[in-house]
PDB file of all heavy atoms in Angstrom:
ATOM      1  N   GLN A  25       3.140  -7.771  10.209  1.00  0.00           N
ATOM      2  CA  GLN A  25       4.491  -7.618   9.650  1.00  0.00           C
ATOM      3  C   GLN A  25       4.439  -7.298   8.147  1.00  0.00           C
ATOM      4  O   GLN A  25       5.081  -6.374   7.731  1.00  0.00           O
ATOM      5  CB  GLN A  25       5.296  -8.927   9.902  1.00  0.00           C
ATOM      6  CG  GLN A  25       6.739  -8.821   9.319  1.00  0.00           C
ATOM      7  CD  GLN A  25       7.543  -9.966   9.751  1.00  0.00           C
ATOM      8  OE1 GLN A  25       7.794 -10.215  10.971  1.00  0.00           O
ATOM      9  NE2 GLN A  25       8.043 -10.763   8.819  1.00  0.00           N
ATOM     10  N   HIS A  44      10.033  18.276  -3.624  1.00  0.00           N
ATOM     11  CA  HIS A  44      10.452  17.822  -4.924  1.00  0.00           C
ATOM     12  C   HIS A  44       9.529  18.387  -5.982  1.00  0.00           C
ATOM     13  O   HIS A  44       8.407  18.780  -5.752  1.00  0.00           O
ATOM     14  CB  HIS A  44      10.408  16.248  -5.012  1.00  0.00           C
ATOM     15  CG  HIS A  44      11.585  15.575  -4.421  1.00  0.00           C
ATOM     16  ND1 HIS A  44      12.747  15.202  -5.139  1.00  0.00           N
ATOM     17  CD2 HIS A  44      11.899  15.230  -3.085  1.00  0.00           C
ATOM     18  CE1 HIS A  44      13.605  14.639  -4.382  1.00  0.00           C
ATOM     19  NE2 HIS A  44      13.145  14.610  -3.118  1.00  0.00           N
ATOM     20  N   LEU A  68      11.403   1.259  11.874  1.00  0.00           N
ATOM     21  CA  LEU A  68      10.767   0.014  11.465  1.00  0.00           C
ATOM     22  C   LEU A  68      10.745  -1.038  12.595  1.00  0.00           C
ATOM     23  O   LEU A  68       9.768  -1.668  12.785  1.00  0.00           O
ATOM     24  CB  LEU A  68      11.472  -0.568  10.263  1.00  0.00           C
ATOM     25  CG  LEU A  68      11.369   0.223   8.926  1.00  0.00           C
ATOM     26  CD1 LEU A  68      12.311  -0.252   7.887  1.00  0.00           C
ATOM     27  CD2 LEU A  68       9.962   0.216   8.455  1.00  0.00           C
ATOM     28  N   TRP A  71       7.897  -0.392  14.962  1.00  0.00           N
ATOM     29  CA  TRP A  71       6.608  -0.902  14.467  1.00  0.00           C
ATOM     30  C   TRP A  71       6.534  -2.417  14.556  1.00  0.00           C
ATOM     31  O   TRP A  71       5.534  -2.980  15.025  1.00  0.00           O
ATOM     32  CB  TRP A  71       6.468  -0.452  13.018  1.00  0.00           C
ATOM     33  CG  TRP A  71       5.928   0.911  12.827  1.00  0.00           C
ATOM     34  CD1 TRP A  71       6.529   2.155  13.070  1.00  0.00           C
ATOM     35  CD2 TRP A  71       4.559   1.249  12.348  1.00  0.00           C
ATOM     36  NE1 TRP A  71       5.644   3.164  12.817  1.00  0.00           N
ATOM     37  CE2 TRP A  71       4.501   2.679  12.359  1.00  0.00           C
ATOM     38  CE3 TRP A  71       3.522   0.489  11.912  1.00  0.00           C
ATOM     39  CZ2 TRP A  71       3.338   3.329  11.894  1.00  0.00           C
ATOM     40  CZ3 TRP A  71       2.375   1.165  11.483  1.00  0.00           C
ATOM     41  CH2 TRP A  71       2.319   2.598  11.461  1.00  0.00           C
ATOM     42  N   GLN A  82      -4.760  -5.673  20.540  1.00  0.00           N
ATOM     43  CA  GLN A  82      -5.511  -5.919  19.320  1.00  0.00           C
ATOM     44  C   GLN A  82      -4.968  -5.060  18.126  1.00  0.00           C
ATOM     45  O   GLN A  82      -5.270  -3.838  18.055  1.00  0.00           O
ATOM     46  CB  GLN A  82      -7.018  -5.576  19.546  1.00  0.00           C
ATOM     47  CG  GLN A  82      -7.877  -5.823  18.325  1.00  0.00           C
ATOM     48  CD  GLN A  82      -9.314  -5.384  18.445  1.00  0.00           C
ATOM     49  OE1 GLN A  82      -9.837  -5.471  19.646  1.00  0.00           O
ATOM     50  NE2 GLN A  82      -9.951  -4.948  17.473  1.00  0.00           N
ATOM     51  N   ASP A  95      -6.141   5.921 -16.319  1.00  0.00           N
ATOM     52  CA  ASP A  95      -6.188   5.027 -17.520  1.00  0.00           C
ATOM     53  C   ASP A  95      -5.199   5.380 -18.524  1.00  0.00           C
ATOM     54  O   ASP A  95      -4.375   6.320 -18.306  1.00  0.00           O
ATOM     55  CB  ASP A  95      -7.668   4.986 -18.080  1.00  0.00           C
ATOM     56  CG  ASP A  95      -8.099   6.403 -18.626  1.00  0.00           C
ATOM     57  OD1 ASP A  95      -7.255   7.254 -18.832  1.00  0.00           O
ATOM     58  OD2 ASP A  95      -9.361   6.607 -18.817  1.00  0.00           O
ATOM     59  N   ALA A  96      -5.212   4.680 -19.637  1.00  0.00           N
ATOM     60  CA  ALA A  96      -4.275   4.979 -20.699  1.00  0.00           C
ATOM     61  C   ALA A  96      -4.319   6.403 -21.243  1.00  0.00           C
ATOM     62  O   ALA A  96      -3.364   6.894 -21.851  1.00  0.00           O
ATOM     63  CB  ALA A  96      -4.384   3.928 -21.857  1.00  0.00           C
ATOM     64  N   CYS A 109     -15.463   7.475   0.676  1.00  0.00           N
ATOM     65  CA  CYS A 109     -16.141   6.801   1.798  1.00  0.00           C
ATOM     66  C   CYS A 109     -16.602   5.376   1.453  1.00  0.00           C
ATOM     67  O   CYS A 109     -16.702   4.543   2.339  1.00  0.00           O
ATOM     68  CB  CYS A 109     -17.301   7.607   2.293  1.00  0.00           C
ATOM     69  SG  CYS A 109     -18.687   7.730   1.179  1.00  0.00           S
ATOM     70  N   LEU A 112     -13.683   3.317   2.455  1.00  0.00           N
ATOM     71  CA  LEU A 112     -13.684   3.281   3.917  1.00  0.00           C
ATOM     72  C   LEU A 112     -14.736   2.286   4.457  1.00  0.00           C
ATOM     73  O   LEU A 112     -14.546   1.627   5.437  1.00  0.00           O
ATOM     74  CB  LEU A 112     -13.868   4.605   4.543  1.00  0.00           C
ATOM     75  CG  LEU A 112     -12.831   5.651   4.215  1.00  0.00           C
ATOM     76  CD1 LEU A 112     -13.075   7.002   4.880  1.00  0.00           C
ATOM     77  CD2 LEU A 112     -11.390   5.149   4.546  1.00  0.00           C
ATOM     78  N   VAL A 115     -13.210  -1.054   4.120  1.00  0.00           N
ATOM     79  CA  VAL A 115     -12.271  -1.173   5.167  1.00  0.00           C
ATOM     80  C   VAL A 115     -12.832  -1.586   6.508  1.00  0.00           C
ATOM     81  O   VAL A 115     -12.414  -2.503   7.221  1.00  0.00           O
ATOM     82  CB  VAL A 115     -11.417   0.056   5.317  1.00  0.00           C
ATOM     83  CG1 VAL A 115     -10.582   0.067   6.614  1.00  0.00           C
ATOM     84  CG2 VAL A 115     -10.426   0.314   4.132  1.00  0.00           C
ATOM     85  N   GLY A 121     -14.625  -8.285  10.222  1.00  0.00           N
ATOM     86  CA  GLY A 121     -14.498  -9.690   9.894  1.00  0.00           C
ATOM     87  C   GLY A 121     -15.333 -10.124   8.800  1.00  0.00           C
ATOM     88  O   GLY A 121     -15.479 -11.420   8.553  1.00  0.00           O
ATOM     89  N   VAL A 124     -15.177 -10.299   2.533  1.00  0.00           N
ATOM     90  CA  VAL A 124     -15.378  -9.480   1.344  1.00  0.00           C
ATOM     91  C   VAL A 124     -14.050  -9.213   0.702  1.00  0.00           C
ATOM     92  O   VAL A 124     -13.920  -8.245  -0.114  1.00  0.00           O
ATOM     93  CB  VAL A 124     -16.071  -8.100   1.770  1.00  0.00           C
ATOM     94  CG1 VAL A 124     -17.501  -8.302   2.158  1.00  0.00           C
ATOM     95  CG2 VAL A 124     -15.324  -7.369   2.823  1.00  0.00           C
ATOM     96  N   PRO A 134     -10.793  -6.113  -2.608  1.00  0.00           N
ATOM     97  CA  PRO A 134     -12.222  -6.390  -2.479  1.00  0.00           C
ATOM     98  C   PRO A 134     -12.692  -7.520  -3.436  1.00  0.00           C
ATOM     99  O   PRO A 134     -12.313  -7.570  -4.582  1.00  0.00           O
ATOM    100  CB  PRO A 134     -12.859  -5.062  -2.838  1.00  0.00           C
ATOM    101  CG  PRO A 134     -11.824  -4.073  -2.548  1.00  0.00           C
ATOM    102  CD  PRO A 134     -10.537  -4.691  -2.884  1.00  0.00           C
ATOM    103  N   LYS A 135     -13.536  -8.388  -2.928  1.00  0.00           N
ATOM    104  CA  LYS A 135     -14.138  -9.402  -3.751  1.00  0.00           C
ATOM    105  C   LYS A 135     -15.018  -8.682  -4.758  1.00  0.00           C
ATOM    106  O   LYS A 135     -15.578  -7.542  -4.514  1.00  0.00           O
ATOM    107  CB  LYS A 135     -15.069 -10.332  -2.966  1.00  0.00           C
ATOM    108  CG  LYS A 135     -14.301 -11.451  -2.258  1.00  0.00           C
ATOM    109  CD  LYS A 135     -15.296 -12.346  -1.626  1.00  0.00           C
ATOM    110  CE  LYS A 135     -14.621 -13.606  -1.002  1.00  0.00           C
ATOM    111  NZ  LYS A 135     -15.604 -14.508  -0.290  1.00  0.00           N
ATOM    112  N   LEU A 139     -17.524  -3.814  -3.158  1.00  0.00           N
ATOM    113  CA  LEU A 139     -17.357  -2.337  -2.978  1.00  0.00           C
ATOM    114  C   LEU A 139     -18.606  -1.752  -3.470  1.00  0.00           C
ATOM    115  O   LEU A 139     -19.118  -1.976  -4.660  1.00  0.00           O
ATOM    116  CB  LEU A 139     -16.116  -1.927  -3.894  1.00  0.00           C
ATOM    117  CG  LEU A 139     -15.491  -0.601  -3.490  1.00  0.00           C
ATOM    118  CD1 LEU A 139     -14.958  -0.652  -2.079  1.00  0.00           C
ATOM    119  CD2 LEU A 139     -14.300  -0.319  -4.517  1.00  0.00           C
ATOM    120  N   ASN A 140     -19.313  -0.954  -2.605  1.00  0.00           N
ATOM    121  CA  ASN A 140     -20.546  -0.390  -2.992  1.00  0.00           C
ATOM    122  C   ASN A 140     -20.373   0.747  -4.034  1.00  0.00           C
ATOM    123  O   ASN A 140     -19.826   1.839  -3.739  1.00  0.00           O
ATOM    124  CB  ASN A 140     -21.233   0.149  -1.728  1.00  0.00           C
ATOM    125  CG  ASN A 140     -22.577   0.805  -1.994  1.00  0.00           C
ATOM    126  OD1 ASN A 140     -23.047   0.692  -3.068  1.00  0.00           O
ATOM    127  ND2 ASN A 140     -23.149   1.392  -0.926  1.00  0.00           N
ATOM    128  N   GLY A 143     -25.234   4.346  -7.060  1.00  0.00           N
ATOM    129  CA  GLY A 143     -25.406   5.782  -7.118  1.00  0.00           C
ATOM    130  C   GLY A 143     -24.254   6.637  -7.655  1.00  0.00           C
ATOM    131  O   GLY A 143     -24.311   7.902  -7.707  1.00  0.00           O
ATOM    132  N   PHE A 154      -8.193  -2.410 -10.433  1.00  0.00           N
ATOM    133  CA  PHE A 154      -7.559  -3.423  -9.577  1.00  0.00           C
ATOM    134  C   PHE A 154      -6.572  -4.279 -10.269  1.00  0.00           C
ATOM    135  O   PHE A 154      -6.153  -5.305  -9.700  1.00  0.00           O
ATOM    136  CB  PHE A 154      -8.668  -4.221  -8.888  1.00  0.00           C
ATOM    137  CG  PHE A 154      -9.310  -3.430  -7.743  1.00  0.00           C
ATOM    138  CD1 PHE A 154     -10.492  -2.749  -7.849  1.00  0.00           C
ATOM    139  CD2 PHE A 154      -8.768  -3.443  -6.474  1.00  0.00           C
ATOM    140  CE1 PHE A 154     -11.083  -2.056  -6.872  1.00  0.00           C
ATOM    141  CE2 PHE A 154      -9.319  -2.735  -5.440  1.00  0.00           C
ATOM    142  CZ  PHE A 154     -10.476  -2.032  -5.635  1.00  0.00           C
ATOM    143  N   GLU A 164       8.680  -2.748  -9.335  1.00  0.00           N
ATOM    144  CA  GLU A 164       8.511  -2.195  -7.942  1.00  0.00           C
ATOM    145  C   GLU A 164       9.413  -2.883  -6.989  1.00  0.00           C
ATOM    146  O   GLU A 164      10.053  -2.270  -6.129  1.00  0.00           O
ATOM    147  CB  GLU A 164       7.008  -2.353  -7.534  1.00  0.00           C
ATOM    148  CG  GLU A 164       6.562  -1.549  -6.419  1.00  0.00           C
ATOM    149  CD  GLU A 164       6.344  -0.043  -6.786  1.00  0.00           C
ATOM    150  OE1 GLU A 164       6.587   0.355  -7.918  1.00  0.00           O
ATOM    151  OE2 GLU A 164       6.049   0.776  -5.849  1.00  0.00           O
ATOM    152  N   ASN A 200       0.220 -10.081 -16.872  1.00  0.00           N
ATOM    153  CA  ASN A 200       0.580  -8.767 -17.380  1.00  0.00           C
ATOM    154  C   ASN A 200      -0.570  -8.152 -18.071  1.00  0.00           C
ATOM    155  O   ASN A 200      -1.662  -8.759 -18.299  1.00  0.00           O
ATOM    156  CB  ASN A 200       1.730  -8.869 -18.389  1.00  0.00           C
ATOM    157  CG  ASN A 200       3.090  -8.417 -17.719  1.00  0.00           C
ATOM    158  OD1 ASN A 200       3.016  -7.656 -16.803  1.00  0.00           O
ATOM    159  ND2 ASN A 200       4.091  -8.959 -18.211  1.00  0.00           N
TER     160      ASN A 200
END
Side-chain angles (χ1 to χ4, degrees):
Q25 181 172 299
H44 279 267
L68 291 172
W71 275 71
Q82 180 184 327
D95 62 17
C109 66
L112 298 182
V115 165
V124 291
K135 279 186 175 179
L139 203 59
N140 181 6
F154 285 94
E164 196 77 359
N200 258 334

